[in-house]
Amino acid sequence: MTVVLGPYPLCALCRQTNGGLLAVRHRQVHLRVHGRQSCVDRGLAGLIASLWAVGDTRSCCEDEQGRAYVVPASDSLEAAEQVLTRLRLRPELEHGTIYFRVPRPSRLHDVQYVRRALAEPAGQVFVWRTDQHGTAR
């Protein structure tokens, strides 16, 4: 069975292993990292590399009606949500698929950028203390 979803071809290796899928809607890059490899949407390559560091994904799309999505393996769902939250992408879970808005301009294609963003502190931490009267300081 041959399946063509768009004008952008998968590489020869992925065409052999993806059940007849030949082409998809977005430009692809063959990603090989953390013991996994596949063609992925070029615009999400850096993000997918970081997701593969914590689990597996089944599918991704860089733009589906204004939102991107990833479909993590069921045992990787929580870890994937944590990565997307850490990147401040505001993930929304819908039936096992995690949707998120891609900021413009986006650097989710850049593996090093995504790794650096994940290595940064999660944000400012405020410690509130109260005095003996219950006033926050």
Side-chain angles (χ1 to χ4, degrees):
M1 178 172 95
T2 300
V3 179
V4 177
L5 299 177
Y8 301 106
L10 300 178
C11 72
L13 178 64
C14 288
R15 273 187 250 138
Q16 292 175 3
T17 61
N18 281 311
L21 181 62
L22 297 178
V24 291
R25 291 183 17 195
H26 300 106
R27 291 191 189 280
Q28 301 292 293
V29 61
H30 191 84
L31 186 60
R32 186 174 296 163
V33 65
H34 303 293
R36 295 173 177 83
Q37 65 176 339
S38 182
C39 282
V40 299
D41 285 4
R42 184 172 66 180
L44 296 179
L47 172 62
I48 298 301
S50 290
L51 289 174
W52 285 354
V54 298
D56 201 4
T57 60
R58 303 285 178 234
S59 180
C60 71
C61 182
E62 67 184 59
D63 185 10
E64 176 70 27
Q65 299 177 356
R67 298 188 299 174
Y69 71 79
V70 295
V71 181
S74 59
D75 62 344
S76 302
L77 182 63
E78 186 176 321
E81 279 186 297
Q82 289 175 357
V83 168
L84 294 167
T85 299
R86 184 116 170 119
L87 292 169
R88 298 178 183 94
L89 294 174
R90 298 185 200 153
E92 299 172 20
L93 179 62
E94 296 177 17
H95 310 290
T97 300
I98 305 174
Y99 291 91
F100 55 95
R101 300 249 178 237
V102 176
R104 300 287 182 224
S106 171
R107 297 204 38 208
L108 294 177
H109 66 281
D110 183 339
V111 174
Q112 296 305 319
Y113 171 82
V114 174
R115 284 183 184 156
R116 281 191 307 272
L118 288 170
E120 292 176 0
Q124 290 183 330
V125 175
F126 295 94
V127 178
W128 292 91
R129 291 184 172 55
T130 56
D131 62 18
Q132 66 270 21
H133 306 290
T135 305
R137 305 259 179 222

